[in-house]
Each structure stands twice: as structure tokens, then as C-alpha cells.
Amino acid sequence: MASQEERIEEILSSFKSGELDMERTRERISELYYKDLGHTKLDTHRGERTGYPEVVFCRGKSPEQILDILSAMAEREVDILATRLDEELYNRIAERIPKKLSGGEYYRDAQIFSFRFSEPVNRGKGEIAVVSAGTSDYRVA
């Protein structure tokens, strides 16, 4: 996949050659950072900008909205973490998930779907404690 800089240069070259007008050039550059799906505005550049990609909170979203979001993220090869995706809803969308995401993993107990396009980055040493107050915290932990 081309770097962000290469994608911007490609858009600007298209503008310079007259293939794109000013309005479409602005739209194409904006789409490198955000994608407005009508019902959702995705921050598709968050991972590159902050080191932490967009997280999709699925509770309250329709299957179509979730599929729109996952498809837009897959199109841009953005790492995916979809949370609060209960098993029934996951099963309703599983067969319709873009083929590009067929290697994704669904974690039933945590109600999470994840897919990585990029390799994990080692940010150094550290320890993480996952603390639970009891069985009601099991899914979150």
C-alpha cells in the first residue's frame, strides 16, 4: 500500500494535470484522513497519527452500519477493533464481511472482532495488569 505522502502526491499530480478540479482534490485529500459514511465519520488516519487505530463501538449500530464501517476500513487497510459486537449480531454479518477481512478473529466472550493489516509495533517494555472484581467483569477483563 502506498504511503500517505505518496497518495497525496498522486492526488496533487492529478490536480496539476487537470484530471481533478479543486473541489474533488479537496475531497480526495480529506478522504485520506476521514471518511463520512453518512451515519458515521471514520478517522481513517488515527492509527498513523496516534499509533492507535479507530475503534468501532458496535452496540446500537445496525448490521448495515457495521458492515459499511468495516468495509470502509478494509478498503483503506485500516486495522480494525470492533467492540461490543454480540455473537448474534456477529453471526448476522459474518457471511457479509468483506473477503479482505476473512482472516479476522471474533472473540465471543469479549464480544470483539479484530483484524490487522499492519504488523504490531513494539513500543518498549512494560507490564499490564488486568484486574477483575469478579465474574461480572469476566467479559471486559
Side-chain angles (χ1 to χ4, degrees):
M1 183 175 206
S3 73
Q4 192 78 343
E5 187 175 291
E6 291 169 330
R7 290 183 290 229
I8 290 172
E9 286 177 8
E10 181 182 308
I11 293 167
L12 293 175
S13 291
S14 294
F15 173 71
K16 185 176 180 181
S17 70
E19 293 174 54
L20 295 176
D21 63 14
M22 180 64 78
E23 182 178 339
R24 185 64 187 132
T25 300
R26 282 187 191 130
E27 288 172 6
R28 293 270 314 272
I29 290 174
S30 177
E31 288 172 356
L32 293 175
Y33 300 96
Y34 297 96
K35 175 68 176 170
D36 190 344
L37 301 175
H39 53 74
T40 305
K41 189 169 183 179
L42 290 175
D43 183 348
T44 57
H45 192 250
R46 181 179 292 167
E48 291 180 48
R49 193 177 64 252
T50 67
Y52 303 98
E54 180 83 90
V55 175
V56 181
F57 182 74
C58 297
R59 181 175 289 157
K61 291 181 177 65
S62 71
E64 289 71 27
Q65 289 172 326
I66 295 168
L67 285 167
D68 283 351
I69 294 165
L70 297 181
S71 296
M73 293 175 84
E75 180 183 313
R76 286 165 180 71
E77 297 188 356
V78 175
D79 292 342
I80 294 170
L81 181 62
T83 65
R84 300 290 175 103
L85 179 60
D86 68 57
E87 189 170 16
E88 179 184 333
L89 186 52
Y90 173 74
N91 289 334
R92 287 177 61 193
I93 68 170
E95 292 178 4
R96 297 166 41 201
I97 287 177
K99 292 202 185 305
K100 218 175 195 184
L101 304 179
S102 62
E105 294 186 59
Y106 178 71
Y107 301 92
R108 184 179 52 81
D109 288 341
Q111 298 183 334
I112 289 174
F113 174 78
S114 69
F115 188 90
R116 292 192 69 97
F117 285 98
S118 63
E119 291 296 317
V121 176
N122 183 343
R123 299 193 195 298
K125 296 180 181 179
E127 294 183 21
I128 298 172
V130 178
V131 180
S132 172
T135 47
S136 63
D137 296 336
Y138 176 74
R139 283 187 173 186
V140 176

